[in-house]
Amino acid sequence: DPAGGTAGAPETFALHEATLADLQQHMATGRHTSRALCGLYLQRIEALNTKGPNLRAVIETNPDALKLADALDAERKAGKVRGPLHGIPVLAGHRAAQDAFIIKQLRAAGAVILGKTNLSEWANFRSSRSTSGWSSRGGQTKNPYVLDRTPSGSSAGSGSAAAASLCA
């Protein structure tokens, strides 16, 4: 795509803007497993985040995502569904020595953390000329709809990733 273009053809992605209800229905009917959903999103992250338009919305992916999805699929098969997030692939922030409260809640609800998103370093207060969505680790996050525009906001990677359907 040219610099001012959009990030790929969303209509060709099977999970484009799928809702949690859509994904839960897919898993309940056997159309997809959590592992399959995670695999589709991880492929999309590779295609749009590090290749193609190079969105830089996701800094790293979780190497255990597919293993976690398998465990959640086994729970579902055994009749245990934790709730509406069970087996749902999501993106989260910072990898710390221990999970933040919200991450603990997401995991307890059965969400699969796919990876870490980029964000505006120092909450974008590093200079009067800073650009939203830039960090020294992840570089400049791109707006998936107009690649030469800022994605805006301090959580630019999360917004860009969701807009590009890199996760549920």
Side-chain angles (χ1 to χ4, degrees), residues 97-123:
Q98 64 182 30
D99 284 342
F101 176 77
I102 190 68
I103 300 303
K104 285 180 188 175
Q105 297 301 102
L106 285 168
R107 288 187 198 277
V112 178
I113 307 299
L114 284 181
K116 175 183 174 41
T117 56
N118 203 0
L119 58 102
S120 298
E121 194 164 88
W122 294 359

Side-chain angles (χ1 to χ4, degrees), residues 38-54:
C38 289
L40 287 168
Y41 282 121
L42 288 168
Q43 288 172 4
R44 185 152 173 94
I45 290 168
E46 183 178 350
L48 297 180
N49 191 69
T50 55
K51 295 179 181 172
N54 191 22

Side-chain angles (χ1 to χ4, degrees), residues 1 4 8 13 19 24 30 32 43 46 52 61 66 68 71-72 79 82 95 112 119 122 134 138 152 163:
D1 291 321
F13 180 54
T19 65
Q24 283 300 335
H32 288 107
Q43 288 172 4
E46 183 178 350
T61 56
L66 296 177
L68 295 168
L72 290 161
R82 300 181 192 191
R95 177 183 254 178
V112 178
L119 58 102
W122 294 359
W134 181 89
S152 196

Side-chain angles (χ1 to χ4, degrees), residues 95-168:
R95 177 183 254 178
Q98 64 182 30
D99 284 342
F101 176 77
I102 190 68
I103 300 303
K104 285 180 188 175
Q105 297 301 102
L106 285 168
R107 288 187 198 277
V112 178
I113 307 299
L114 284 181
K116 175 183 174 41
T117 56
N118 203 0
L119 58 102
S120 298
E121 194 164 88
W122 294 359
N124 217 30
F125 288 107
R126 65 187 187 285
S127 123
S128 60
R129 295 180 185 203
S130 63
T131 302
S132 285
W134 181 89
S135 75
S136 58
R137 179 167 178 210
Q140 179 61 53
T141 304
K142 295 179 183 175
N143 179 327
Y145 290 105
V146 185
L147 297 172
D148 64 348
R149 302 278 193 251
T150 176
S152 196
S154 60
S155 298
S158 297
S160 183
S165 293
L166 301 184
C167 64

Side-chain angles (χ1 to χ4, degrees), residues 69-83:
D70 286 339
L72 290 161
D73 284 335
E75 283 184 18
R76 182 180 298 275
K77 189 173 181 179
K80 179 182 179 186
V81 176
R82 300 181 192 191

